[in-house]
Amino acid sequence: MSGFDNTDFFQSSYSVDDQNQGGYGYSDPNDPYSKQYEYSQPMGYSAPPGMMQPQQPYMGQIYQPTPAFTPVSPQSMYGSSFEDEPPLLEELGINFDHIWQKTLTVLHPLKAADGSIMNETDLAGPMVFCLAFGATLLLTGKIQFGYVYGISAIGCLGMYCLLNLMSMTGVSFGCVASVLGYCLLPMITLSSFGVLFSLQGMLGMILTATIIGWCSFSASKIFISALAMDGQQLLVAYPCALLYGVFALISVF
């Protein structure tokens, strides 16, 4: 054992005081060829070596993800309820009460016309009356549906231009087509008489002239009341009589 007394041990720079420092050296700092390994401790760490601080219990709330899509009920998408929605015929612009009032206004030429109702764009009644007029012509062996709709379109366009020049307020094309279509109702009566007997005699000529005057007077009355054109009824009735005279020629011949 005496041989170990003269043994020189390696002198290290490590000391106990270096434990409280930020790193630990395991090599000679004076040796440039040696490697130094340092293990840094987190800042603020004051626990003694060999002991761990007790872990604090988590006092927060558990994270609950918010759903990206929120389901929406069909009632909130389309309204509170289906009972609050207007009827389908009203959405389409078909009002049977107004159709009946316009029909009575045409059938009764001396009845005062309601300008607020007559100024509406209602094409349901005129379409039915045009079909009825073409159907009665078909009963007499005349297939004239193309002429009926063609003359109606040209006549509505001409009256639209004329009324916009004569009136101060102006009128829409739909209103002109609606009024002229409703006033075609007496012409259906003329074509219905043509199914029973010939309209080319004297009685037929008188009946045709009466129907033309009836249609033109009713149309001019409605236009005057809807457009506030007082004192111009005869000026409006003349082009209307020309238009309905063409329909009468189709019915007679």
Side-chain angles (χ1 to χ4, degrees):
M1 299 296 291
S2 61
F4 292 97
D5 295 336
N6 295 325
T7 304
D8 293 334
F9 291 94
F10 177 77
Q11 297 296 327
S12 174
S13 62
Y14 174 78
S15 63
V16 179
D17 296 335
D18 295 335
Q19 294 180 358
N20 295 330
Q21 296 179 1
Y24 302 92
Y26 295 98
S27 62
D28 190 0
N30 298 323
D31 189 0
Y33 300 101
S34 64
K35 296 181 180 180
Q36 184 178 0
Y37 302 93
E38 294 183 356
Y39 300 92
S40 61
Q41 295 179 354
M43 298 179 61
Y45 183 78
S46 60
M51 296 182 63
M52 297 179 61
Q53 290 184 350
Q55 187 178 3
Q56 297 294 331
Y58 178 72
M59 303 300 294
Q61 297 181 355
I62 300 175
Y63 174 73
Q64 297 180 356
T66 305
F69 174 74
T70 304
V72 182
S73 60
Q75 291 185 356
S76 60
M77 293 176 61
Y78 299 101
S80 59
S81 63
F82 291 102
E83 297 178 355
D84 298 337
E85 295 183 358
L88 178 60
L89 294 178
E90 184 176 349
E91 291 183 355
L92 295 176
I94 301 175
N95 192 330
F96 289 105
D97 185 25
H98 290 180
I99 291 175
W100 178 246
Q101 292 183 14
K102 293 178 182 180
T103 304
L104 291 180
T105 303
V106 174
L107 294 177
H108 197 326
L110 300 179
K111 180 182 178 180
D114 189 358
S116 61
I117 297 178
M118 296 302 170
N119 205 13
E120 296 179 354
T121 303
D122 175 25
L123 298 179
M127 292 295 293
V128 173
F129 293 157
C130 286
L131 287 174
F133 182 61
T136 52
L137 292 177
L138 186 61
L139 293 177
T140 59
K142 302 174 183 178
I143 306 176
Q144 305 291 349
F145 287 97
Y147 286 102
V148 170
Y149 286 106
I151 294 171
S152 299
I154 296 174
C156 291
L157 182 62
M159 289 298 300
Y160 168 73
C161 297
L162 182 62
L163 290 175
N164 279 316
L165 293 175
M166 295 177 62
S167 63
M168 299 297 295
T169 58
V171 64
S172 63
F173 183 80
C175 178
V176 174
S178 177
V179 172
L180 294 178
Y182 274 104
C183 294
L184 191 63
L185 181 58
M187 197 62 62
I188 301 174
T189 306
L190 178 64
S191 60
S192 300
F193 280 116
V195 178
L196 302 177
F197 55 89
S198 177
L199 298 175
Q200 298 182 5
M202 182 59 65
L203 182 61
M205 294 298 175
I206 296 175
L207 181 61
T208 301
T210 304
I211 294 298
I212 292 174
W214 187 356
C215 293
S216 60
F217 183 80
S218 298
S220 61
K221 177 189 65 175
I222 295 173
F223 283 132
I224 292 303
S225 61
L227 302 178
M229 299 170 59
D230 297 335
Q232 303 182 25
Q233 185 172 1
L234 294 178
L235 296 177
V236 178
Y238 177 70
C240 292
L242 295 178
L243 174 62
Y244 291 114
V246 177
F247 289 118
L249 291 176
I250 296 175
S251 300
V252 174
F253 304 102

